[in-house]
mmCIF file of all heavy atoms in Angstrom:
data_model
loop_
_atom_site.group_PDB
_atom_site.id
_atom_site.type_symbol
_atom_site.label_atom_id
_atom_site.label_comp_id
_atom_site.label_asym_id
_atom_site.label_seq_id
_atom_site.Cartn_x
_atom_site.Cartn_y
_atom_site.Cartn_z
ATOM 1 N N VAL A 98 101.628 116.186 87.057
ATOM 2 C CA VAL A 98 101.563 114.850 87.675
ATOM 3 C C VAL A 98 100.477 114.018 87.007
ATOM 4 O O VAL A 98 100.688 112.881 86.599
ATOM 5 C CB VAL A 98 101.296 114.943 89.190
ATOM 6 C CG1 VAL A 98 101.170 113.544 89.815
ATOM 7 C CG2 VAL A 98 102.426 115.711 89.910
ATOM 8 N N ARG A 99 99.319 114.618 86.832
ATOM 9 C CA ARG A 99 98.184 113.934 86.216
ATOM 10 C C ARG A 99 98.521 113.489 84.791
ATOM 11 O O ARG A 99 98.132 112.421 84.359
ATOM 12 C CB ARG A 99 96.951 114.870 86.175
ATOM 13 C CG ARG A 99 96.447 115.225 87.562
ATOM 14 C CD ARG A 99 95.120 114.516 87.870
ATOM 15 N NE ARG A 99 94.974 114.340 89.320
ATOM 16 C CZ ARG A 99 94.414 115.245 90.156
ATOM 17 N NH1 ARG A 99 93.962 116.372 89.672
ATOM 18 N NH2 ARG A 99 94.300 114.969 91.443
ATOM 19 N N ARG A 100 99.254 114.361 84.095
ATOM 20 C CA ARG A 100 99.568 114.111 82.683
ATOM 21 C C ARG A 100 100.627 113.030 82.531
ATOM 22 O O ARG A 100 100.547 112.197 81.611
ATOM 23 C CB ARG A 100 100.054 115.417 82.066
ATOM 24 C CG ARG A 100 100.128 115.477 80.529
ATOM 25 C CD ARG A 100 100.422 116.887 80.045
ATOM 26 N NE ARG A 100 101.528 117.513 80.759
ATOM 27 C CZ ARG A 100 102.825 117.216 80.657
ATOM 28 N NH1 ARG A 100 103.192 116.287 79.790
ATOM 29 N NH2 ARG A 100 103.741 117.857 81.356
ATOM 30 N N THR A 101 101.637 113.015 83.419
ATOM 31 C CA THR A 101 102.758 112.110 83.210
ATOM 32 C C THR A 101 102.678 110.827 84.049
ATOM 33 O O THR A 101 103.429 109.907 83.783
ATOM 34 C CB THR A 101 104.088 112.830 83.569
ATOM 35 O OG1 THR A 101 104.018 113.317 84.927
ATOM 36 C CG2 THR A 101 104.316 114.018 82.639
ATOM 37 N N ALA A 102 101.789 110.770 85.024
ATOM 38 C CA ALA A 102 101.561 109.589 85.830
ATOM 39 C C ALA A 102 102.885 108.885 86.260
ATOM 40 O O ALA A 102 103.111 107.730 85.948
ATOM 41 C CB ALA A 102 100.663 108.605 85.103
ATOM 42 N N PRO A 103 103.726 109.604 87.001
ATOM 43 C CA PRO A 103 105.067 109.066 87.306
ATOM 44 C C PRO A 103 104.965 107.859 88.246
ATOM 45 O O PRO A 103 104.133 107.805 89.142
ATOM 46 C CB PRO A 103 105.751 110.238 88.013
ATOM 47 C CG PRO A 103 104.630 111.004 88.665
ATOM 48 C CD PRO A 103 103.525 110.949 87.635
ATOM 49 N N LEU A 104 105.835 106.884 87.988
ATOM 50 C CA LEU A 104 105.933 105.723 88.858
ATOM 51 C C LEU A 104 106.869 106.094 90.003
ATOM 52 O O LEU A 104 108.028 106.502 89.760
ATOM 53 C CB LEU A 104 106.476 104.543 88.044
ATOM 54 C CG LEU A 104 106.490 103.169 88.660
ATOM 55 C CD1 LEU A 104 105.092 102.713 89.056
ATOM 56 C CD2 LEU A 104 107.104 102.155 87.685
ATOM 57 N N ILE A 105 106.389 105.982 91.223
ATOM 58 C CA ILE A 105 107.161 106.415 92.419
ATOM 59 C C ILE A 105 107.499 105.226 93.304
ATOM 60 O O ILE A 105 106.596 104.477 93.729
ATOM 61 C CB ILE A 105 106.380 107.476 93.232
ATOM 62 C CG1 ILE A 105 105.995 108.668 92.330
ATOM 63 C CG2 ILE A 105 107.175 107.919 94.448
ATOM 64 C CD1 ILE A 105 107.169 109.421 91.740
ATOM 65 N N HIS A 106 108.785 105.068 93.573
ATOM 66 C CA HIS A 106 109.253 103.999 94.458
ATOM 67 C C HIS A 106 109.223 104.507 95.885
ATOM 68 O O HIS A 106 109.861 105.520 96.197
ATOM 69 C CB HIS A 106 110.670 103.600 94.036
ATOM 70 C CG HIS A 106 111.258 102.528 94.865
ATOM 71 N ND1 HIS A 106 112.587 102.186 94.811
ATOM 72 C CD2 HIS A 106 110.717 101.703 95.783
ATOM 73 C CE1 HIS A 106 112.854 101.183 95.659
ATOM 74 N NE2 HIS A 106 111.732 100.891 96.257
ATOM 75 N N ASN A 107 108.521 103.797 96.742
ATOM 76 C CA ASN A 107 108.417 104.191 98.143
ATOM 77 C C ASN A 107 109.078 103.156 99.060
ATOM 78 O O ASN A 107 108.707 101.984 98.994
ATOM 79 C CB ASN A 107 106.962 104.333 98.548
ATOM 80 C CG ASN A 107 106.245 105.383 97.739
ATOM 81 O OD1 ASN A 107 106.287 106.577 98.040
ATOM 82 N ND2 ASN A 107 105.583 104.951 96.642
ATOM 83 N N VAL A 117 99.909 105.904 101.718
ATOM 84 C CA VAL A 117 100.862 106.510 100.770
ATOM 85 C C VAL A 117 100.565 106.015 99.341
ATOM 86 O O VAL A 117 100.549 106.794 98.395
ATOM 87 C CB VAL A 117 102.325 106.195 101.171
ATOM 88 C CG1 VAL A 117 103.293 106.636 100.091
ATOM 89 C CG2 VAL A 117 102.646 106.910 102.483
ATOM 90 N N ALA A 118 100.276 104.721 99.224
ATOM 91 C CA ALA A 118 99.940 104.183 97.884
ATOM 92 C C ALA A 118 98.659 104.816 97.363
ATOM 93 O O ALA A 118 98.591 105.236 96.198
ATOM 94 C CB ALA A 118 99.781 102.663 98.001
ATOM 95 N N ASN A 119 97.646 104.919 98.219
ATOM 96 C CA ASN A 119 96.371 105.450 97.733
ATOM 97 C C ASN A 119 96.430 106.943 97.440
ATOM 98 O O ASN A 119 95.752 107.419 96.492
ATOM 99 C CB ASN A 119 95.222 105.116 98.711
ATOM 100 C CG ASN A 119 94.644 103.746 98.424
ATOM 101 O OD1 ASN A 119 94.572 103.315 97.259
ATOM 102 N ND2 ASN A 119 94.192 103.047 99.449
ATOM 103 N N VAL A 120 97.220 107.702 98.186
ATOM 104 C CA VAL A 120 97.284 109.126 97.893
ATOM 105 C C VAL A 120 98.085 109.352 96.600
ATOM 106 O O VAL A 120 97.783 110.308 95.856
ATOM 107 C CB VAL A 120 97.853 109.933 99.084
ATOM 108 C CG1 VAL A 120 99.362 109.972 99.086
ATOM 109 C CG2 VAL A 120 97.288 111.363 99.100
ATOM 110 N N LEU A 121 99.070 108.502 96.346
ATOM 111 C CA LEU A 121 99.769 108.622 95.068
ATOM 112 C C LEU A 121 98.851 108.329 93.902
ATOM 113 O O LEU A 121 98.831 109.050 92.898
ATOM 114 C CB LEU A 121 101.010 107.717 95.049
ATOM 115 C CG LEU A 121 102.204 108.295 95.804
ATOM 116 C CD1 LEU A 121 103.261 107.228 96.057
ATOM 117 C CD2 LEU A 121 102.808 109.470 95.012
ATOM 118 N N LEU A 122 98.031 107.276 94.029
ATOM 119 C CA LEU A 122 97.022 107.021 93.001
ATOM 120 C C LEU A 122 96.042 108.156 92.890
ATOM 121 O O LEU A 122 95.582 108.508 91.801
ATOM 122 C CB LEU A 122 96.305 105.702 93.311
ATOM 123 C CG LEU A 122 97.142 104.416 93.110
ATOM 124 C CD1 LEU A 122 96.523 103.242 93.835
ATOM 125 C CD2 LEU A 122 97.279 104.142 91.628
ATOM 126 N N ALA A 123 95.714 108.770 94.026
ATOM 127 C CA ALA A 123 94.756 109.884 94.021
ATOM 128 C C ALA A 123 95.252 111.076 93.228
ATOM 129 O O ALA A 123 94.495 111.705 92.492
ATOM 130 C CB ALA A 123 94.441 110.301 95.459
ATOM 131 N N CYS A 124 96.548 111.343 93.314
ATOM 132 C CA CYS A 124 97.078 112.564 92.598
ATOM 133 C C CYS A 124 97.413 112.247 91.176
ATOM 134 O O CYS A 124 97.799 113.150 90.429
ATOM 135 C CB CYS A 124 98.286 113.098 93.357
ATOM 136 S SG CYS A 124 99.829 112.233 93.014
ATOM 137 N N GLY A 125 97.266 111.009 90.753
ATOM 138 C CA GLY A 125 97.533 110.646 89.365
ATOM 139 C C GLY A 125 98.850 109.955 89.118
ATOM 140 O O GLY A 125 99.143 109.543 88.014
ATOM 141 N N ALA A 126 99.631 109.754 90.194
ATOM 142 C CA ALA A 126 100.878 109.017 90.079
ATOM 143 C C ALA A 126 100.626 107.527 90.285
ATOM 144 O O ALA A 126 99.482 107.129 90.539
ATOM 145 C CB ALA A 126 101.863 109.529 91.141
ATOM 146 N N ARG A 127 101.667 106.722 90.151
ATOM 147 C CA ARG A 127 101.547 105.288 90.384
ATOM 148 C C ARG A 127 102.587 104.855 91.390
ATOM 149 O O ARG A 127 103.756 105.142 91.205
ATOM 150 C CB ARG A 127 101.743 104.569 89.040
ATOM 151 C CG ARG A 127 100.625 104.831 88.031
ATOM 152 C CD ARG A 127 100.986 104.277 86.650
ATOM 153 N NE ARG A 127 102.226 104.900 86.154
ATOM 154 C CZ ARG A 127 103.184 104.264 85.515
ATOM 155 N NH1 ARG A 127 103.068 102.973 85.283
ATOM 156 N NH2 ARG A 127 104.244 104.913 85.099
ATOM 157 N N PRO A 128 102.161 104.161 92.464
ATOM 158 C CA PRO A 128 103.108 103.768 93.495
ATOM 159 C C PRO A 128 103.682 102.371 93.290
ATOM 160 O O PRO A 128 103.017 101.519 92.723
ATOM 161 C CB PRO A 128 102.221 103.764 94.743
ATOM 162 C CG PRO A 128 100.871 103.366 94.234
ATOM 163 C CD PRO A 128 100.773 103.853 92.811
ATOM 164 N N ILE A 129 104.890 102.192 93.731
ATOM 165 C CA ILE A 129 105.417 100.827 93.899
ATOM 166 C C ILE A 129 106.238 100.821 95.160
ATOM 167 O O ILE A 129 106.919 101.816 95.483
ATOM 168 C CB ILE A 129 106.204 100.338 92.651
ATOM 169 C CG1 ILE A 129 106.595 98.866 92.778
ATOM 170 C CG2 ILE A 129 107.458 101.193 92.405
ATOM 171 C CD1 ILE A 129 107.068 98.226 91.498
ATOM 172 N N MET A 130 106.128 99.740 95.940
ATOM 173 C CA MET A 130 106.792 99.648 97.212
ATOM 174 C C MET A 130 107.776 98.489 97.158
ATOM 175 O O MET A 130 107.426 97.361 96.747
ATOM 176 C CB MET A 130 105.774 99.352 98.303
ATOM 177 C CG MET A 130 105.125 100.598 98.900
ATOM 178 S SD MET A 130 104.040 101.463 97.729
ATOM 179 C CE MET A 130 103.495 102.823 98.786
ATOM 180 N N ILE A 140 114.017 98.177 91.204
ATOM 181 C CA ILE A 140 112.702 98.816 91.244
ATOM 182 C C ILE A 140 112.870 100.336 90.920
ATOM 183 O O ILE A 140 112.178 100.877 90.076
ATOM 184 C CB ILE A 140 112.047 98.639 92.631
ATOM 185 C CG1 ILE A 140 111.834 97.157 92.979
ATOM 186 C CG2 ILE A 140 110.741 99.424 92.709
ATOM 187 C CD1 ILE A 140 110.732 96.463 92.248
ATOM 188 N N VAL A 143 113.131 101.547 87.185
ATOM 189 C CA VAL A 143 111.954 101.747 86.301
ATOM 190 C C VAL A 143 111.081 102.906 86.784
ATOM 191 O O VAL A 143 110.037 103.159 86.183
ATOM 192 C CB VAL A 143 111.074 100.451 86.182
ATOM 193 C CG1 VAL A 143 111.904 99.322 85.556
ATOM 194 C CG2 VAL A 143 110.490 100.052 87.521
ATOM 195 N N CYS A 144 111.523 103.581 87.846
ATOM 196 C CA CYS A 144 110.689 104.646 88.423
ATOM 197 C C CYS A 144 111.171 106.042 88.054
ATOM 198 O O CYS A 144 112.278 106.218 87.545
ATOM 199 C CB CYS A 144 110.673 104.517 89.961
ATOM 200 S SG CYS A 144 109.736 103.074 90.534
ATOM 201 N N ALA A 145 110.315 107.034 88.324
ATOM 202 C CA ALA A 145 110.655 108.416 88.053
ATOM 203 C C ALA A 145 111.000 109.182 89.309
ATOM 204 O O ALA A 145 111.454 110.317 89.236
ATOM 205 C CB ALA A 145 109.476 109.094 87.350
ATOM 206 N N GLY A 146 110.772 108.574 90.466
ATOM 207 C CA GLY A 146 111.111 109.268 91.717
ATOM 208 C C GLY A 146 111.137 108.271 92.859
ATOM 209 O O GLY A 146 110.629 107.143 92.778
ATOM 210 N N LEU A 147 111.783 108.690 93.973
ATOM 211 C CA LEU A 147 111.998 107.830 95.123
ATOM 212 C C LEU A 147 111.631 108.565 96.393
ATOM 213 O O LEU A 147 111.991 109.742 96.557
ATOM 214 C CB LEU A 147 113.479 107.390 95.153
ATOM 215 C CG LEU A 147 113.960 106.598 96.386
ATOM 216 C CD1 LEU A 147 113.231 105.264 96.481
ATOM 217 C CD2 LEU A 147 115.470 106.388 96.306
ATOM 218 N N GLY A 293 105.174 111.338 99.977
ATOM 219 C CA GLY A 293 104.930 110.560 98.755
ATOM 220 C C GLY A 293 104.502 111.482 97.627
ATOM 221 O O GLY A 293 105.011 111.448 96.509
ATOM 222 N N LEU A 294 103.540 112.372 97.926
ATOM 223 C CA LEU A 294 103.053 113.338 96.905
ATOM 224 C C LEU A 294 104.255 114.175 96.415
ATOM 225 O O LEU A 294 104.373 114.440 95.192
ATOM 226 C CB LEU A 294 102.050 114.284 97.519
ATOM 227 C CG LEU A 294 100.610 113.776 97.772
ATOM 228 C CD1 LEU A 294 99.765 114.929 98.292
ATOM 229 C CD2 LEU A 294 100.000 113.207 96.497
ATOM 230 N N ALA A 296 107.410 113.493 96.173
ATOM 231 C CA ALA A 296 108.235 112.750 95.213
ATOM 232 C C ALA A 296 107.583 112.752 93.828
ATOM 233 O O ALA A 296 108.264 112.935 92.810
ATOM 234 C CB ALA A 296 108.456 111.350 95.722
ATOM 235 N N ALA A 297 106.261 112.578 93.803
ATOM 236 C CA ALA A 297 105.564 112.579 92.506
ATOM 237 C C ALA A 297 105.607 113.954 91.848
ATOM 238 O O ALA A 297 105.847 114.083 90.632
ATOM 239 C CB ALA A 297 104.103 112.130 92.714
ATOM 240 N N PHE A 298 105.368 115.017 92.628
ATOM 241 C CA PHE A 298 105.374 116.376 92.085
ATOM 242 C C PHE A 298 106.770 116.743 91.564
ATOM 243 O O PHE A 298 106.902 117.367 90.533
ATOM 244 C CB PHE A 298 104.876 117.377 93.124
ATOM 245 C CG PHE A 298 103.370 117.484 93.235
ATOM 246 C CD1 PHE A 298 102.623 116.402 93.699
ATOM 247 C CD2 PHE A 298 102.711 118.640 92.883
ATOM 248 C CE1 PHE A 298 101.236 116.489 93.779
ATOM 249 C CE2 PHE A 298 101.308 118.760 92.965
ATOM 250 C CZ PHE A 298 100.573 117.675 93.443
ATOM 251 N N ALA A 300 109.012 114.596 90.508
ATOM 252 C CA ALA A 300 109.322 113.790 89.333
ATOM 253 C C ALA A 300 108.651 114.349 88.066
ATOM 254 O O ALA A 300 109.215 114.264 86.982
ATOM 255 C CB ALA A 300 108.845 112.332 89.560
ATOM 256 N N SER A 301 107.485 114.925 88.224
ATOM 257 C CA SER A 301 106.736 115.410 87.055
ATOM 258 C C SER A 301 107.031 116.846 86.723
ATOM 259 O O SER A 301 106.482 117.386 85.733
ATOM 260 C CB SER A 301 105.230 115.265 87.297
ATOM 261 O OG SER A 301 104.897 113.905 87.421
ATOM 262 N N VAL C 289 109.515 93.045 87.132
ATOM 263 C CA VAL C 289 110.293 94.286 87.408
ATOM 264 C C VAL C 289 111.694 94.037 87.982
ATOM 265 O O VAL C 289 112.606 94.788 87.732
ATOM 266 C CB VAL C 289 109.495 95.210 88.386
ATOM 267 C CG1 VAL C 289 110.242 96.508 88.586
ATOM 268 C CG2 VAL C 289 108.110 95.468 87.839
ATOM 269 N N THR C 325 109.228 93.707 82.524
ATOM 270 C CA THR C 325 108.175 94.667 82.212
ATOM 271 C C THR C 325 108.594 96.017 82.772
ATOM 272 O O THR C 325 109.446 96.121 83.650
ATOM 273 C CB THR C 325 106.858 94.254 82.877
ATOM 274 O OG1 THR C 325 107.099 93.891 84.216
ATOM 275 C CG2 THR C 325 106.233 93.104 82.119
ATOM 276 N N ALA C 326 107.960 97.035 82.284
ATOM 277 C CA ALA C 326 108.368 98.395 82.624
ATOM 278 C C ALA C 326 107.386 99.119 83.504
ATOM 279 O O ALA C 326 107.693 100.150 84.097
ATOM 280 C CB ALA C 326 108.581 99.209 81.335
ATOM 281 N N GLY C 327 106.193 98.611 83.621
ATOM 282 C CA GLY C 327 105.112 99.398 84.219
ATOM 283 C C GLY C 327 104.933 99.270 85.689
ATOM 284 O O GLY C 327 103.862 99.530 86.195
ATOM 285 N N GLY C 328 105.939 98.830 86.416
ATOM 286 C CA GLY C 328 105.764 98.686 87.868
ATOM 287 C C GLY C 328 104.798 97.570 88.158
ATOM 288 O O GLY C 328 104.967 96.453 87.635
ATOM 289 N N VAL C 329 103.818 97.828 88.994
ATOM 290 C CA VAL C 329 102.864 96.783 89.382
ATOM 291 C C VAL C 329 101.593 96.837 88.509
ATOM 292 O O VAL C 329 100.680 96.061 88.750
ATOM 293 C CB VAL C 329 102.522 96.848 90.863
ATOM 294 C CG1 VAL C 329 103.757 96.532 91.725
ATOM 295 C CG2 VAL C 329 101.990 98.231 91.217
ATOM 296 N N ASP C 330 101.560 97.746 87.540
ATOM 297 C CA ASP C 330 100.416 97.782 86.644
ATOM 298 C C ASP C 330 100.773 97.084 85.341
ATOM 299 O O ASP C 330 101.961 96.880 85.004
ATOM 300 C CB ASP C 330 100.037 99.234 86.303
ATOM 301 C CG ASP C 330 99.647 99.988 87.585
ATOM 302 O OD1 ASP C 330 98.830 99.430 88.340
ATOM 303 O OD2 ASP C 330 100.169 101.078 87.778
ATOM 304 N N ALA C 331 99.750 96.690 84.562
ATOM 305 C CA ALA C 331 99.978 96.057 83.289
ATOM 306 C C ALA C 331 100.475 97.077 82.286
ATOM 307 O O ALA C 331 100.015 98.200 82.240
ATOM 308 C CB ALA C 331 98.708 95.410 82.789
ATOM 309 N N ASP C 332 101.476 96.683 81.494
ATOM 310 C CA ASP C 332 101.856 97.518 80.347
ATOM 311 C C ASP C 332 100.713 97.508 79.348
ATOM 312 O O ASP C 332 100.028 96.509 79.175
ATOM 313 C CB ASP C 332 103.109 96.955 79.706
ATOM 314 C CG ASP C 332 104.339 97.081 80.636
ATOM 315 O OD1 ASP C 332 104.333 97.971 81.489
ATOM 316 O OD2 ASP C 332 105.254 96.259 80.489
ATOM 317 N N ALA C 333 100.533 98.630 78.685
ATOM 318 C CA ALA C 333 99.376 98.780 77.779
ATOM 319 C C ALA C 333 99.312 97.698 76.715
ATOM 320 O O ALA C 333 98.257 97.158 76.411
ATOM 321 C CB ALA C 333 99.388 100.178 77.145
ATOM 322 N N SER C 386 91.478 100.495 89.272
ATOM 323 C CA SER C 386 92.912 100.578 89.178
ATOM 324 C C SER C 386 93.457 101.766 89.931
ATOM 325 O O SER C 386 94.672 101.899 90.129
ATOM 326 C CB SER C 386 93.358 100.658 87.711
ATOM 327 O OG SER C 386 92.889 101.862 87.134
ATOM 328 N N ARG C 387 92.578 102.653 90.403
ATOM 329 C CA ARG C 387 93.031 103.794 91.185
ATOM 330 C C ARG C 387 92.937 103.491 92.692
ATOM 331 O O ARG C 387 93.132 104.352 93.549
ATOM 332 C CB ARG C 387 92.159 105.060 90.875
ATOM 333 C CG ARG C 387 92.277 105.508 89.423
ATOM 334 C CD ARG C 387 93.590 106.174 89.091
ATOM 335 N NE ARG C 387 93.795 107.394 89.809
ATOM 336 C CZ ARG C 387 93.357 108.608 89.423
ATOM 337 N NH1 ARG C 387 92.677 108.711 88.296
ATOM 338 N NH2 ARG C 387 93.590 109.679 90.120
ATOM 339 N N THR C 389 94.667 101.006 95.484
ATOM 340 C CA THR C 389 95.762 100.040 95.605
ATOM 341 C C THR C 389 95.230 98.720 96.164
ATOM 342 O O THR C 389 94.367 98.700 97.055
ATOM 343 C CB THR C 389 96.883 100.587 96.510
ATOM 344 O OG1 THR C 389 98.045 99.748 96.371
ATOM 345 C CG2 THR C 389 96.502 100.645 97.984
#
Side-chain angles (χ1 to χ4, degrees):
Chain A
V98 177
R99 295 254 153 86
R100 194 172 45 73
T101 57
L104 189 60
I105 303 299
H106 180 190
N107 299 276
V117 171
N119 273 327
V120 86
L121 280 166
L122 288 163
C124 81
R127 293 170 300 139
I129 188 166
M130 272 68 181
I140 300 286
V143 298
C144 289
L147 173 63
L294 285 183
F298 278 65
S301 295
Chain C
V289 184
T325 46
V329 294
D330 299 312
D332 293 333
S386 66
R387 299 286 295 275
T389 193

